[in-house]
Amino acid sequence: MIELINICVLGRVTPESVIFSFGTVLLDLLSGKHIPPSHALDMIRGKNILLLMDSHLEGHFSSEEATVVFDLASQCLQYEPRERPNSKDLVTTLAPLQNKPDVPSYVMLGIPKHEEGPPTPQQPLSPMGDACSRMDLTAIHQILVMTHYKDDEGTNELSFQEWTQQMRDMLEARKRGDVAFRDKEFKTAIDCYSQFIDVGTMVSPTVYARRSLCYLLCDQPDAALRDAMQAQCVYPDWSTAFYMQAVALAKLDMQKDAADMLNEAAALEEKRQRGGRGS
């Protein structure tokens, strides 16, 4: 699949690849689980939508609206880029479904609002895992500063032709974001990292993780969750992306989902450590 190669190997982002990624996010949200993009279309083709929906919803959703969203996800995941909808089509399809005022998840579920971290997972936790389980944003910040961009290795392969002035400007924006992030000027860091991301020539899971933390520190957990999910799209087995999702979910009072994500992150970390010892 050309889009997966462009995104995962070459680090290239096109309007069509963004639509493809949006389809994977829609499918993950509806099903309540991460489905590998390469298998997503085959998994939903010809299946009963009710069986594909997240079991945690316990049937509390409109089957008509679910059908519309699943059909849209299927269109976004078409192998041929020209067969996918454009952004205007997405808005036209989804806007009519927004017929209720925004209600916090804890209100919908009848849960009293209180902020608590996800339960400690079964696996031993790394410093990053421990910080996320305690929702210690200061400690997470220190770890991301120290880790720098070592986890981005292999996520981008840039040709000589791509080292243009635009590329240099984009890297300069990232550099300004890094300085602001280090100095705890989180709103400035969001602006700079957004400039880097919007250019789209280079995809960095670390930038998404850093901007996710900035959003958390600016009390924007929804945006933080989106960035953590984007980091996972770029680097599917990166434990940090899962840890950041766990913190964002906990901030949104989705404690069970946060606990599941924390366990998955710890398992990925343990798997990576075993692989490192075996090599």
Side-chain angles (χ1 to χ4, degrees):
M1 292 176 60
I2 298 299
E3 298 306 325
L4 285 177
I5 294 173
N6 279 338
I7 296 171
C8 299
V9 179
L10 301 179
R12 294 172 182 160
V13 178
T14 64
E16 293 80 10
S17 67
V18 171
I19 297 297
F20 184 90
S21 296
F22 183 74
T24 66
V25 172
L26 277 182
L27 192 55
D28 287 356
L29 289 173
L30 290 165
S31 65
K33 56 179 72 75
H34 176 60
I35 300 172
S38 57
H39 297 91
L41 194 58
D42 292 334
M43 187 167 184
I44 62 176
R45 186 183 286 122
K47 298 290 177 60
N48 186 321
I49 289 174
L50 297 179
L51 296 178
L52 291 170
M53 289 296 291
D54 185 353
S55 59
H56 292 102
L57 294 175
E58 298 179 344
H60 297 155
F61 58 87
S62 164
S63 57
E64 291 81 7
E65 292 181 357
T67 300
V68 171
V69 179
F70 263 114
D71 287 345
L72 185 62
S74 178
Q75 294 172 41
C76 293
L77 295 167
Q78 291 301 310
Y79 296 127
E80 289 295 331
R82 64 176 178 273
E83 295 178 3
R84 298 172 198 154
N86 57 38
S87 56
K88 188 177 295 186
D89 296 329
L90 297 182
V91 174
T92 300
T93 303
L94 293 174
L97 304 183
Q98 182 63 27
N99 53 15
K100 299 181 181 68
D102 290 338
V103 178
S105 57
Y106 65 87
V107 174
M108 294 177 63
L109 297 172
I111 301 172
K113 181 170 176 55
H114 60 279
E115 191 173 286
E116 59 182 44
T120 304
Q122 298 172 354
Q123 292 88 354
L125 288 174
S126 65
M128 182 64 164
D130 178 63
C132 289
S133 70
R134 293 183 289 107
M135 295 178 66
D136 187 341
L137 301 185
T138 300
I140 296 171
H141 173 255
Q142 293 173 345
I143 292 168
L144 289 178
V145 168
M146 290 188 297
T147 305
H148 203 53
Y149 285 90
K150 72 175 185 179
D151 289 325
D152 277 17
E153 295 174 6
T155 60
N156 289 282
E157 294 292 337
L158 299 171
S159 66
F160 176 78
Q161 288 78 8
E162 288 175 307
W163 286 98
T164 60
Q165 182 61 46
Q166 184 184 50
M167 186 67 181
R168 289 192 290 272
D169 291 344
M170 182 184 66
L171 292 175
E172 182 61 30
R174 189 182 77 175
K175 184 178 179 181
R176 293 196 304 272
D178 291 340
V179 172
F181 185 78
R182 182 197 64 199
D183 294 341
K184 301 182 180 180
E185 298 172 358
F186 299 115
K187 290 184 178 179
T188 300
I190 288 172
D191 292 339
C192 294
Y193 286 146
S194 296
Q195 292 174 28
F196 172 86
I197 290 168
D198 291 344
V199 173
T201 306
M202 187 176 177
V203 182
S204 166
T206 296
V207 166
Y208 278 117
R210 287 181 168 214
R211 195 174 70 167
S212 176
L213 179 62
C214 291
Y215 279 131
L216 285 171
L217 287 158
C218 293
D219 199 25
Q220 298 182 59
D222 289 302
L225 179 59
R226 286 195 296 270
D227 269 3
M229 292 173 72
Q230 283 295 331
Q232 181 190 345
C233 286
V234 178
Y235 191 167
D237 295 328
W238 193 33
S239 59
T240 297
F242 288 80
Y243 278 134
M244 295 306 300
Q245 288 179 63
V247 178
L249 288 165
K251 284 280 188 180
L252 291 165
D253 293 309
M254 301 172 68
Q255 301 303 331
K256 186 178 187 309
D257 292 322
D260 291 343
M261 198 61 67
L262 197 66
N263 275 316
E264 197 161 350
L268 280 171
E269 212 163 36
E270 186 181 31
K271 179 181 177 183
R272 184 175 181 178
Q273 289 171 355
R274 285 202 307 267
R277 289 195 294 268
S279 60

